[in-house]
Amino acid sequence: MMFKLLYVSVVVFMGMLLLRSHSYGQVIDVHTHIVIPEYTDLLERYGAALEETFPLPHWDVDSHIRFMNAAGIRTSVLTMPAPQPYYDDAEESAKCIRRVNEVSAKVKQQYPGRFKFCASLPLPDVDVAIREAIYALDTLGADGVKLATNSRGQYLGDEALDPLMEVLNERHAVIIIHPHRPTPYSEKIIATTPLAMYEYPAETTRAVVNMLARNVLVRYPNLKVIVPHCGSFLPLALPRIKSILPAMVKQGYMHPIDWEGNLSCLYFDLAGSPTIEVLRSLLTITTPDHILYGSDYPYLPDTVLKANLQRLKLMLASDKELSEYADMFLWENAERLFVKGVTAGSTPTE
C-alpha cells in the first residue's frame, strides 16, 4: 500500500514538473471558431439558427484572447462553424462567407502570432468556391481552408469537388474538416440527441471514407487534411474497411485504396477531451507527428476547456509512452504544419 501511494505521488509530482517545464504558453489550438454577426443574421433570416440542433455560441476577439492567455495557448486557428450559410442563393452565400474570411484575416493581422485562419468556401457551388479559395489564399493570406463534411448533400470525395481539390493541391493547402448536419437525416433521431453527440463523429468518418475510397489524397498529394475530434470513428472503421475491401474490389464494387498514400496526408485534432484509450486507438491509424491539439472554443465554457487542456497535459505527462509526445501534440506538430510548412507527411501505421 505504501509503495502504491509513493508511486502515485511520484507520478503526480513528475506530471506537475512537466506541466511547468513543457508547453505552457506554447500551445497551438487548431480547432476554434469565429462567429460574426453577419453570419448569424443570415441564419436567423432563414430560421436556421438551430439547424445544427444547438445554438451558436457568442464569440468576440477579446474574450477569445482572455481564454487563450488563461489556458496558455499561444496561437488559435479560426474557422467558420456549422451550418453552411447556403440557402439556394450562391451569391448571398458567397457574400456572407467573404465577410467571415475578411474579418478572420483582419483579426489575424491585428493580433500577430495569436491567430491564424482557414477560409470558408461557398459550397456547393464549386466555381464560386474556387474563386473564393484563390482570393482567400492568395490575397487574404489564409492559412488553409475549412471544408464541411457535406455542403447541402455534396460530400467530400464527390467527383464534383475535384477541380477545387486541384486548386488547393497547387497551393499545398491545409484543409480543416468540420462535421455538419448529415444529408439526408432523420428528424426523429436528431431530435433525440444533439448532432454533436453521435452524428458528427459518424458524419466525419463518412466524409473521410469517401475521400479514401476515391484516393483523393493520393491524387492530390500536396493537401494536408485535419480530421477533427480524435479521428471520430476512423480507428474502428478502417480495420473493417481494409478487411472487406478485397472482396469489394473483386466484385467490382470498389477500386483499390492506397492506404499509405492517403493516410500520410491525414492529421487529427484532439478536440473532444480524449482519454488515454482514445489516444492509443488513434495511434493505430497514424503517427505521433500527425496529432494536434484542438479545443473547440467557444462551444464549451472557458473553465471547461481550460480544465480539459490541463487534464490532457497531466495525462500525457503521467504516461510513460505518451509523455515524450506531449510537445508534439500540443504545439510542435501544428507549428510545423501552419508555420514552417510540410512538403510531405510521414507514413502512418497501416
Side-chain angles (χ1 to χ4, degrees):
M1 183 66 178
M2 287 295 295
F3 176 78
K4 185 176 181 180
L5 289 173
L6 179 62
Y7 173 77
V8 171
S9 299
V10 169
V11 167
V12 172
F13 176 71
M14 292 301 293
M16 294 307 296
L17 285 179
L18 284 166
L19 287 183
R20 290 177 182 177
S21 62
H22 289 277
S23 306
Y24 189 78
Q26 289 294 318
V27 176
I28 297 178
D29 186 351
V30 304
H31 190 142
T32 76
H33 300 290
I34 181 170
V35 186
I36 67 170
E38 294 89 336
Y39 172 74
T40 56
D41 289 348
L42 177 61
L43 298 182
E44 287 169 2
R45 286 206 303 273
Y46 286 93
L50 290 175
E51 185 176 317
E52 300 289 319
T53 69
F54 49 88
L56 285 162
H58 170 78
W59 179 91
D60 67 77
V61 68
D62 291 335
S63 297
H64 198 159
I65 288 177
R66 281 196 299 272
F67 161 70
M68 292 165 63
N69 290 343
I73 295 170
R74 186 212 323 170
T75 304
S76 290
V77 181
L78 298 169
T79 61
M80 187 185 76
Q84 189 78 346
Y86 180 88
Y87 301 96
D88 297 321
D89 187 331
E91 183 178 346
E92 177 185 61
S93 177
K95 182 179 179 181
C96 176
I97 287 176
R98 171 65 60 85
R99 181 61 179 161
V100 173
N101 292 338
E102 288 179 338
V103 172
S104 300
K106 185 177 181 180
V107 170
K108 176 185 174 180
Q109 182 181 28
Q110 287 179 331
Y111 300 90
R114 302 309 306 271
F115 292 101
K116 294 184 177 296
F117 79 101
C118 284
S120 292
L121 304 179
L123 292 167
D125 190 312
V126 176
D127 291 337
V128 178
I130 289 173
R131 289 199 295 271
E132 185 63 23
I134 293 171
Y135 175 74
L137 293 168
D138 296 359
T139 302
L140 290 182
D143 300 282
V145 300
K146 173 254 179 172
L147 293 179
T149 48
N150 87 90
S151 299
R152 307 302 172 189
Q154 180 193 67
Y155 273 81
L156 295 181
D158 192 313
E159 186 176 359
L161 293 172
D162 283 356
L164 172 61
M165 294 300 170
E166 184 173 348
V167 168
L168 298 177
N169 186 66
E170 290 171 355
R171 286 161 174 76
H172 292 246
V174 175
I175 296 172
I176 289 181
I177 294 177
H178 196 275
H180 285 222
R181 186 179 69 182
T183 303
Y185 62 93
S186 167
E187 290 281 6
K188 274 190 175 181
I189 288 177
I190 68 171
T192 304
T193 54
L195 294 173
M197 296 186 72
Y198 176 81
E199 266 68 30
Y200 271 8
E203 173 77 359
T204 300
T205 305
R206 157 53 66 192
V208 175
V209 167
N210 280 2
M211 297 178 78
L212 297 177
R214 294 197 65 243
N215 286 299
V216 169
L217 299 177
V218 173
R219 292 187 291 112
Y220 305 105
N222 296 326
L223 300 177
K224 283 78 67 177
V225 177
I226 300 175
V227 182
H229 305 127
C230 309
S232 295
F233 298 150
L234 286 169
L236 290 174
L238 292 188
R240 176 176 174 82
I241 296 170
K242 289 180 180 181
S243 69
I244 296 174
L245 183 63
M248 298 294 103
V249 172
K250 185 176 181 179
Q251 296 295 324
Y253 294 124
M254 294 181 70
H255 295 288
I257 294 174
D258 181 345
W259 294 106
E260 181 178 317
N262 281 292
L263 293 178
S264 69
C265 296
L266 291 180
Y267 293 75
F268 301 87
D269 81 41
L270 297 180
S273 192
T275 62
I276 285 287
E277 293 77 16
V278 168
L279 280 171
R280 294 192 186 283
S281 178
L282 185 55
L283 284 168
T284 65
I285 64 168
T286 193
T287 48
D289 57 330
H290 280 225
I291 295 177
L292 317 163
Y293 169 71
S295 70
D296 220 343
Y297 182 89
Y299 274 86
L300 289 172
D302 291 12
T303 52
V304 173
L305 295 178
K306 286 187 289 185
N308 286 348
L309 176 54
Q310 292 306 312
R311 186 185 65 80
L312 174 63
K313 288 182 176 182
L314 184 57
M315 182 176 70
L316 292 172
S318 62
D319 185 276
K320 183 177 180 180
E321 180 184 350
L322 297 178
S323 60
E324 64 180 296
Y325 305 134
D327 283 348
M328 294 174 68
F329 293 174
L330 294 170
W331 67 275
E332 288 178 351
N333 294 339
E335 184 174 72
R336 183 168 54 88
L337 194 61
F338 282 102
V339 179
K340 298 177 181 178
V342 292
T343 56
S346 59
T347 304
T349 303
E350 288 193 44

